[in-house]
Amino acid sequence: MRELLEQVLAIAKAADSAIMAVYGRAFDVTIKQDHSPLTEADRAAHDVIRQGLQALPQGHPILSEEDVEGFSGVGDDGRYWLVDPLDGTKEFIKRNGEFTVNIALIEHGVPILGVVTAPVTGVAYLAAEGLGAYKVAPDGQRTRLQVSGRPAEGAMWRVLGSRSHHDPALTDWLAALGPYQMHPMGSSLKSCLIAEGQADVYPRFGPTSLWDTAAAHAIVHQAGGRIVTLDGHPLHYATPSQTLNPPFVVWGDRG
């Protein structure tokens, strides 16, 4: 698993380079059928990741946001790759740096390996079952990740929220949480910050898809946190034909 994790990190870094080649110049934006934006960078990163994963000896099927129709179904071993080539396209278009590359390996509905890279900063987050979770600095230095745990009684909750999506139901949920400070941020970076103990909770009531959460889910889990639905069940990826996630909460503790 360690060797595979390093191979996936290299693929994600190659996708970073493809994205940054577009980021620094003018680019066109088109709107997909689901009303989400698509850029040349999304397509370029998808091509790099698809080719990289297909070259690996494991031969797992690939479900990518940019090629849902090309997914052949879960493998006989219960495994498949789940990919968002550019998570946070709206942030990419705004050029605020808050976008990521997400690659996860799913086994029987559970993300057992995840890599998230931030092309602008050069930071990466990675995790695999049995290996723990790590933050990789641009110079290659690695730091073991550990969630912060539940805040002390009466302490301020550090809450992360979407920069581009808002949902009225969130207001009532936050009121029941207690004192909090809200910090908006784009993409899967929110979950990664919880994994490294920089925030406590990220509630998401607005729409997301499987590829938005899977890679960071592996990282949060290996760092000691959890991602659960509103009724407390772990978010799962066992039915990729249903690509939308239910509302969920990322917690910086085991509960």
Side-chain angles (χ1 to χ4, degrees):
M1 186 68 81
R2 188 181 302 276
E3 180 181 1
L4 180 59
L5 185 61
E6 298 302 326
Q7 291 170 327
V8 175
L9 175 60
I11 293 169
K13 286 291 189 179
D16 285 357
S17 297
I19 289 169
M20 293 307 293
V22 179
Y23 192 61
R25 59 173 171 79
F27 53 83
D28 293 329
V29 179
T30 58
I31 303 300
K32 298 189 289 187
Q33 289 185 346
D34 64 358
H35 306 295
S36 63
L38 177 70
T39 71
E40 180 184 344
D42 296 81
R43 294 188 291 266
H46 165 76
D47 288 342
V48 167
I49 295 169
R50 176 179 53 80
Q51 292 168 13
L53 294 179
Q54 287 179 340
L56 296 177
Q58 289 81 7
H60 303 310
I62 302 169
L63 174 56
S64 169
E65 178 181 12
E66 306 311 333
D67 187 21
V68 175
E69 297 300 322
F71 181 55
S72 60
V74 179
D76 293 338
D77 57 0
R79 291 186 171 189
Y80 69 97
W81 295 109
L82 187 51
V83 175
D84 192 340
L86 203 171
D87 179 29
T89 302
K90 291 181 179 179
E91 316 310 325
F92 176 86
I93 294 168
K94 296 174 187 175
R95 287 190 165 93
N96 66 13
E98 294 179 357
F99 52 88
T100 57
V101 171
N102 301 342
I103 305 176
L105 178 60
I106 309 300
E107 181 179 73
H108 301 300
V110 177
I112 62 170
L113 178 152
V115 171
V116 174
T117 56
V120 170
T121 64
V123 170
Y125 298 87
L126 63 161
E129 202 169 65
L131 299 179
Y134 294 86
K135 180 180 182 179
V136 185
D139 64 2
Q141 181 176 352
R142 300 191 176 196
T143 304
R144 185 77 178 251
L145 298 181
Q146 182 66 43
V147 295
S148 60
R150 190 179 182 88
E153 187 71 27
M156 192 77 69
W157 284 85
R158 299 170 298 170
V159 181
L160 294 174
S162 173
R163 192 178 292 281
S164 299
H165 300 274
H166 305 279
D167 192 289
L170 181 61
T171 303
D172 292 339
W173 190 92
L174 289 171
L177 181 67
Y180 69 91
Q181 292 178 328
M182 173 66 79
H183 303 278
M185 179 168 287
S187 76
S188 58
L189 289 172
K190 295 183 287 295
S191 295
C192 292
L193 286 185
I194 289 177
E196 64 175 305
Q198 297 300 310
D200 302 310
V201 64
Y202 161 41
R204 183 57 183 261
F205 291 76
T208 62
S209 297
L210 302 180
W211 44 73
D212 294 316
T213 56
H217 193 161
I219 294 161
V220 168
H221 178 72
Q222 291 298 320
R226 55 198 169 101
I227 302 184
V228 295
T229 59
L230 298 184
D231 56 4
H233 296 293
L235 205 61
H236 73 88
Y237 308 85
T239 313
S241 59
Q242 171 54 51
T243 60
L244 291 178
N245 286 319
F248 63 86
V249 182
V250 184
W251 295 98
D253 64 17
R254 283 292 188 205

